[in-house]
Structures are given as structure tokens and as C-alpha cells.
Amino acid sequence: MLPQLGWLAMAVSEMVWDLSQLVENTEPGAIQKVLDSMVVEAGKVRERFHGKIGGLDAKGVLELLELRDALLLRFEGAVMYGYLMYSADSTNDVAKQLNEASRRATMRVSQALAFIDLELGKLLAAKPSLIGDLVLVEFRHFLERLLRRVPHMLSETEEQLVIVKDKNGIRAWELLQSDWLSMRTFTIEIDGEKKTLPYGQMVGLYQSPDRDLRMRAYQTVYDGLGQDDIIWASAIRAVCEDHVRMCEMRKWSSPMTQSLIDNDVDEEAISSLMKTIEKNAGLYQRYLRLKAKLMGLPKLANYDLLAPLAKGPSTTYGWADARRKITEAYREFDGQVGDWIAEMYERRHLDGEVRKGKTSGAWCNSWLAGRSAYILQSFNGRIMDVYTQAHELGHAMHSYLLSRAQKPSNCEVGSCMAEAGSIFGELLLTERLLQEAKTQEEKQAILAVVLDEFGASAFQVSARVLLEQAIYDSIKKGQFLDGEATAKLWVEARAKIHGDAVDWLDVMKWEWTKTPHYFIANYRFYNYPYVFAQLFVYALYRLYKEEGKGFVPKLKALLSAGSSKSPHELAAQFGYDITKEEFWQKGMKQAEEFINTLEKTL
Ligand SMILES: [Zn+2]
């Protein structure tokens, strides 16, 4: 690639990413050609191996898996290019066309190669000794995970039938829930003016510094949602009851089994995690009471949970300032990691500019072939945006380590571990920000951001886990779950976590209606990984504080392992057992530290 002209590079904002590094030639025609050849190459793999995997020995399996990994690395840049370009600006015609081309090509490749996991699974079931074969040592855990799925696979015809029945069955219910929610509009008075807003905009009012507006926003939304309880209840019932039937057919021993397999964890670890949460609900309630004090309230109401502390405008941060703070935070942890973070900015792998047509939210996309990553966010200069950037760069740190240590097959990190780098990065930033904070108010604002997030991910999400469990228990007992019955289960689950530290508006019993996770077809128990991730990283951070620099190589080894080891094995490397409450309690200890620090600022 030719070096960019100096004046041109100067003209480009450093908040706009440079995607040209992903491909040799950025001409749309050239990218299309690369995508076409990807489909052809996948076809060749299919031709060679389809129907023949059952006869392969260890060497043959190795060749197949390496071929699939090589295919991914070779075409990864071209596949990412269109998708990333489109996410940054969906109004761009070239981006639309390339994104569509990339989506189509990827779909054809995954269809062509779907036989690999199926045939390989059967081979492993017949010859489990292959997993221990030294030739396949790098793929050991990948194969173990595959084998764990085999007993739950149905015949080819049945699997096809499941797809057909789901399309107009539970997938339709899932779609109805999300469409119904996004189509709702709500009328609310803002600054003396009546406004009719869609759900997405109403949610934005939850963080308004105006307490009365926040209260009315919640009241209006849930009043509206509660009126359609028959729809939400029918949807959740259909999705959950279908899952119960599928558990019987697929021989999943409990409604959680599917999710445990997907997340590479076992029931013991999750139940000890949830026990730790319930035992420490008092600690969370202590924070909620502290927050009430900081806000000058006798008690928090539900509409204060996500609210900012300050009533007035809060400190804003420029891009350069955020870049410096974040880079330094990572560099203080480790020089090599600091260099990588600096490189992310220097090579312009972040897109922070706010623009029309840009997708909402923020994410980090690994670029394994380039041993790097790309990050998208809309940077508005709020403290939250600085945290989001540090979070996404933590994912990038994970990608840098992973891509240097593992084959792509070992880079499919499950939900429980996927946030290990990102949440850790947020804590590194916290340390830095607290060092630099000049006033008590600044310190309070930082700690409130951190503890609000911890509370939301570890505790509020736990209430959702409890609701999921309660729903399946009720179905098992043959109870009919209409809207009111489901709302009752939600209120009970909520109380176990929040105790009497929060006053709830009556309509908040309908809060479960808006949570898409309950309605996702064929993917149940999606909530506990958030709790797991949060507490896992807090425990690691605690160890970092205790062990100092000696901990650094351990964390790097953990992130480098990717999915080549289970979370259980990874924690064992630190000398901990995730099936024991002692490990999770370490995470609580760190949260308690933050709460103590916050208390001292009063
Ligand atoms: Zn994340």
C-alpha cells in the first residue's frame, strides 16, 4: 500500500477510522471479486471433505480444521470491510452494496461448510480418543466442546423440521415482541410541550437530570406496556414452553443446559455465583442507600437507579484528553499493552465521530488476520463515552493477545469470558481517573459510574436470572402464566436483590415486557453471563491489587488462551475454583472497596 500524502492525512479527522488497511484494493469491484473467490474456495473444501469426515484420522482432521481457519484469515478483511463501512454510514450507497455482498457471501460459505461440525461431531462420538491425540493438541478444547453438543443433536430431518416450525413459531413471537415494542409511541410533556415519542427516545429520558421528568417517563412507558400484557405474556409463554419441549427432545437435563454448553461452563459454577449474589444483596443495597444520600434523597426510587449524581452539567472530555488518559491507564498496567492501545489510535482503528446513518451503540470487531481490531462508537465527550472507549479498547487488548496466540477456531470466546479484557480496562481507567480527580465531586461521579454499572450487571441482571428460573419452575408445576402471574414472579425476583432500598412505581411490575433476552428463540438463560463476567473481572482486579506486577503476565495468559480453555480451567490457573463461593466473594470484596472509597468522600 502506498503511503498517504501528508496533506491528505492531516485533513482526515483522527476520529474517523481507516478501513483501507483491511483490503489490498478498496475498489468495490475488487472487493466483490475477493468475496466471490471466498465462496469458490469454500466450495472446494466442501467438495473434498463432504461425506468423508467419518473416515479421517487425526492428521486428516487437523488438515481440515487448519484449512477452515486459513480460509477465515484469508478473507476476513474483505468480509469486515463492507460491514464496518455500512455500520459507520448506512446512507452510503457503496457501503450498502458491499455490506449486502459480504452478508450474502458469508451466508453461502456457512451453508457450504455447515457439514463440518455435524460430521466431525459424529466422528468424535464414534472415536473420542481423537480428542487426546497429540496431533490435535491445539484443537483439544475445541473438539471437547463439539463433542459436548453431540448427544443433543437431532437427526438431519428433525433439525430441518425444527427450523421450519420455529420460523412461524417462536421466532415469530420473538419478532412480534421486538416489533411491538419499537412501534409503541408515548405522549409526554417536556418543558411545557406535549410530545409523542417512540420507545427508543423515551428510554433516553431515564438518565435526565430532571427527576420529575424521569419519573413521568417510566410511568408513561410502563403504563403503556402494561396495557398490552396479553401480548407479552403470550410471547414469553410460547418461547419458554417451546424450550421445555425441546429440552425433552434434545435430552437437555435442565432448561439451563443449552446455555451452559454454549458458554462452556457448568451448573455448579453458576449456582455458586448466584448464591454469592443473593448473599451479598445487602452490599448492593448499602450502595443504593449511599447513592440516595449523594443525591440528597431519603431513599432511591426506581427512576434514580440509572440517574446521574449531578443535577447540573457534568465534566466533559475531549477526544485527545480521553486518548491520553486511556492510553496511560493501559500503559501503567503493562508497556506492551500500552503500545498496542497507542497503535489503535495511531493507525486510526477507532471511529468516534458522531454522524447521521451511523449505527447506535459501541463495539469492537477483532481483526485476527491483522492481529488487531476496529472500534465503533459515537463519542460525545461525556464520562460515559470515555468509559465506553476504554471498554472497547479492552476488547482490542484481548484481540491483540488472542490473535498472536491462537488459531481462529480458538478465538470464539463465549459470553462469560468475552468481557474479561473490557471490564478490566474500565477498572484501569477508574484508577487513572481517581488519581487525576481534583475534587470530591469528581471522585463521586467516577465511582458512581463504576458502581452503577457493577450494580446493573451483577445485581439487577441477577433479578432477571431469578425470574427466568421462576418461570421454568412455574411451567414445571403446570401453572398458567398470564401477564399478572408473570409480573408477580418479577416483583418477587426484584425484591430478593433490592430489598427495601428502592421504592418502585406500581407500573414497574411490567418491566420484564421490554427485555428482549426473555424472548430470544432457542437461546435461553442469556442473562447470567453478564453477572459472571462482571464478578469474574472484579475478582481478577482484586488479585491484581493484591499481587501487583506479578499478576500482569497471568492476565495476559488468560486473555491469550481465548476459547482454547474453559473458564473453569482459566480460573484454575490463578489457583481458584469457580464452583466455590470463595472465588466470587473476591469480586465482592473489590466492589466493597469501591463503596468504602465512595463513602469516605462524603
Ligand atoms: Zn463489551
Side-chain angles (χ1 to χ4, degrees):
M1 210 188 314
L2 288 168
Q4 273 193 325
L5 292 171
W7 64 269
L8 190 61
M10 296 264 287
V12 182
S13 158
E14 61 171 304
M15 287 172 75
V16 180
W17 60 20
D18 170 19
L19 297 180
S20 68
Q21 296 160 40
L22 289 168
V23 287
E24 274 176 33
N25 185 344
T26 57
E27 276 295 307
I31 293 172
Q32 180 67 59
K33 250 193 203 149
V34 176
L35 293 172
D36 290 343
S37 64
M38 172 173 82
V39 177
V40 172
E41 291 302 316
K44 284 186 195 159
V45 175
R46 184 180 170 86
E47 222 176 270
R48 212 178 124 193
F49 288 97
H50 185 248
K52 296 176 193 129
I53 293 180
L56 293 180
D57 60 6
K59 275 200 183 117
V61 173
L62 179 70
E63 197 190 349
L64 168 69
L65 294 176
E66 286 190 329
L67 212 58
R68 183 166 70 171
D69 278 348
L71 199 71
L72 187 142
L73 288 178
R74 186 170 150 202
F75 296 103
E76 188 193 30
V79 169
M80 277 171 75
Y81 189 85
Y83 168 64
L84 264 56
M85 196 179 177
Y86 180 75
S87 309
D89 183 4
S90 61
T91 63
N92 180 315
D93 283 334
V94 175
K96 269 188 228 171
Q97 177 211 330
L98 285 178
N99 180 47
E100 189 47 34
S102 152
R103 227 177 47 85
R104 234 187 348 247
T106 321
M107 200 184 72
R108 287 179 65 189
V109 169
S110 56
Q111 274 172 344
L113 301 184
F115 74 96
I116 297 180
D117 284 356
L118 286 172
E119 287 190 29
L120 198 52
K122 277 186 198 149
L123 171 66
L124 293 175
K127 266 197 237 168
S129 64
L130 273 174
I131 291 176
D133 198 303
L134 282 179
V135 170
L136 290 165
V137 68
E138 261 195 279
F139 292 97
R140 181 190 55 88
H141 193 56
F142 170 82
L143 296 172
E144 281 171 352
R145 293 182 70 186
L146 192 59
L147 183 62
R148 198 174 166 193
R149 292 173 197 277
V150 174
H152 309 291
M153 288 176 182
L154 304 174
S155 73
E156 209 172 330
T157 323
E158 285 168 328
E159 290 289 358
Q160 280 166 358
L161 204 63
V162 169
I163 295 170
V164 174
K165 71 118 178 123
D166 284 356
K167 187 171 179 303
N168 299 306
I170 50 168
R171 292 213 180 273
W173 282 111
E174 178 189 338
L175 203 62
L176 178 70
Q177 188 269 345
S178 68
D179 284 353
W180 200 259
L181 189 63
S182 60
M183 296 290 286
R184 294 303 87 195
T185 56
F186 305 87
T187 305
I188 187 163
E189 203 181 293
I190 304 174
D191 298 329
E193 211 183 306
K194 269 215 159 90
K195 287 198 171 150
T196 301
L197 302 175
Y199 177 75
Q201 281 184 30
M202 288 298 287
V203 172
L205 302 176
Y206 295 170
Q207 287 185 325
S208 160
D210 177 350
R211 189 168 195 237
D212 177 64
L213 179 61
R214 291 201 301 268
M215 190 265 284
R216 286 185 293 113
Y218 277 100
Q219 181 70 42
T220 310
V221 165
Y222 289 104
D223 211 14
L225 297 185
Q227 285 168 22
D228 296 330
D229 69 326
I230 191 160
I231 291 173
W232 316 114
S234 301
I236 210 166
R237 220 169 39 233
V239 173
C240 293
E241 285 189 7
D242 178 87
H243 184 61
V244 172
R245 297 285 93 77
M246 290 314 290
C247 286
E248 289 161 14
M249 289 185 69
R250 289 193 185 275
K251 302 191 178 69
W252 284 321
S253 55
S254 90
M256 212 191 253
T257 310
Q258 174 199 23
S259 146
L260 294 170
I261 295 174
D262 277 347
N263 292 315
D264 202 14
V265 286
D266 44 48
E267 199 147 10
E268 267 176 285
I270 303 310
S271 81
S272 111
L273 166 70
M274 293 309 296
K275 263 189 217 145
T276 311
I277 289 286
E278 288 199 55
K279 274 190 192 158
N280 287 274
L283 179 69
Y284 177 48
Q285 291 159 22
R286 190 181 137 211
Y287 167 64
L288 294 175
R289 290 195 184 95
L290 196 57
K291 188 173 176 184
K293 227 187 227 177
L294 288 164
M295 292 177 83
L297 301 167
K299 192 175 182 180
L300 287 189
N302 69 272
Y303 42 90
D304 301 317
L305 285 171
L306 298 174
L309 281 188
K311 290 184 188 77
S314 38
T315 321
T316 55
Y317 301 80
W319 179 266
D321 191 24
R323 173 178 175 170
R324 180 188 61 79
K325 283 186 163 71
I326 295 170
T327 313
E328 280 173 9
Y330 279 100
R331 195 178 294 287
E332 219 165 289
F333 174 70
D334 179 62
Q336 186 186 40
V337 170
D339 286 347
W340 288 335
I341 301 300
E343 182 186 279
M344 284 292 290
Y345 289 103
E346 279 154 21
R347 292 180 72 194
R348 292 204 287 115
H349 281 202
L350 288 95
D351 196 58
E353 193 184 59
V354 180
R355 73 176 75 85
K356 203 174 142 253
K358 185 170 179 170
T359 181
S360 63
W363 39 252
C364 174
N365 209 311
S366 286
W367 178 29
L368 299 176
R371 298 183 162 194
S372 180
Y374 274 88
I375 287 172
L376 176 139
Q377 103 175 101
S378 294
F379 185 83
N380 285 300
R382 299 166 310 157
I383 187 170
M384 283 313 300
D385 297 317
V386 183
Y387 266 97
T388 303
Q389 197 163 99
H391 176 101
E392 299 310 333
L393 281 162
H395 282 303
M397 159 173 76
H398 204 161
S399 302
Y400 271 81
L401 286 161
L402 254 183
S403 55
R404 280 161 176 76
Q406 301 294 338
K407 299 237 159 79
S409 294
N410 289 333
C411 293
E412 290 164 7
V413 183
S415 318
C416 288
M417 295 308 293
E419 300 299 326
S422 57
I423 301 174
F424 200 86
E426 286 183 43
L427 296 178
L428 293 176
L429 175 69
T430 303
E431 201 174 295
R432 181 87 212 166
L433 291 180
L434 286 175
Q435 277 167 17
E436 290 186 11
K438 290 183 191 69
T439 62
Q440 297 293 2
E441 286 72 32
E442 241 179 288
K443 274 192 188 164
Q444 288 169 354
I446 296 159
L447 286 163
V449 168
V450 174
L451 286 165
D452 274 351
E453 200 206 309
F454 179 77
S457 305
F459 286 99
Q460 293 174 30
V461 174
S462 288
R464 296 190 199 165
V465 181
L466 298 179
L467 173 65
E468 282 176 289
Q469 280 162 341
I471 287 178
Y472 289 108
D473 287 346
S474 299
I475 292 177
K476 216 160 141 195
K477 286 182 207 143
Q479 282 160 358
F480 183 76
L481 289 171
D482 60 7
E484 287 293 347
T486 311
K488 189 166 169 276
L489 295 180
W490 170 239
V491 170
E492 283 165 8
R494 198 180 70 185
K496 281 189 191 154
I497 299 297
H498 298 84
D500 60 359
V502 179
D503 281 332
W504 301 86
L505 293 171
D506 274 346
V507 290
M508 292 312 293
K509 65 177 180 181
W510 301 119
E511 205 178 356
W512 55 275
T513 62
K514 59 92 191 168
T515 309
H517 298 129
Y518 300 132
F519 302 88
I520 300 174
N522 295 325
Y523 196 47
R524 318 309 306 145
F525 286 96
Y526 185 98
N527 286 302
Y528 72 78
Y530 290 90
V531 185
F532 187 110
Q534 196 73 26
L535 215 52
F536 191 91
V537 177
Y538 265 59
L540 293 186
Y541 188 74
R542 184 75 217 147
L543 288 171
Y544 171 46
K545 295 279 95 181
E546 286 170 8
E547 295 175 14
K549 284 288 168 198
F551 171 86
V552 176
K554 292 190 200 167
L555 182 79
K556 286 167 88 176
L558 176 137
L559 297 176
S560 299
S563 53
S564 71
K565 291 193 170 91
S566 71
H568 194 280
E569 288 172 285
L570 290 171
Q573 287 179 190
F574 287 87
Y576 282 93
D577 182 350
I578 57 170
T579 63
K580 300 278 185 304
E581 287 174 47
E582 181 203 354
F583 171 72
W584 301 110
Q585 199 55 46
K586 260 210 136 34
M588 287 298 176
K589 187 95 196 113
Q590 180 56 46
E592 197 181 352
E593 279 285 321
F594 283 137
I595 296 172
N596 291 342
T597 312
L598 180 61
E599 200 157 47
K600 281 190 203 129
T601 65
L602 279 176

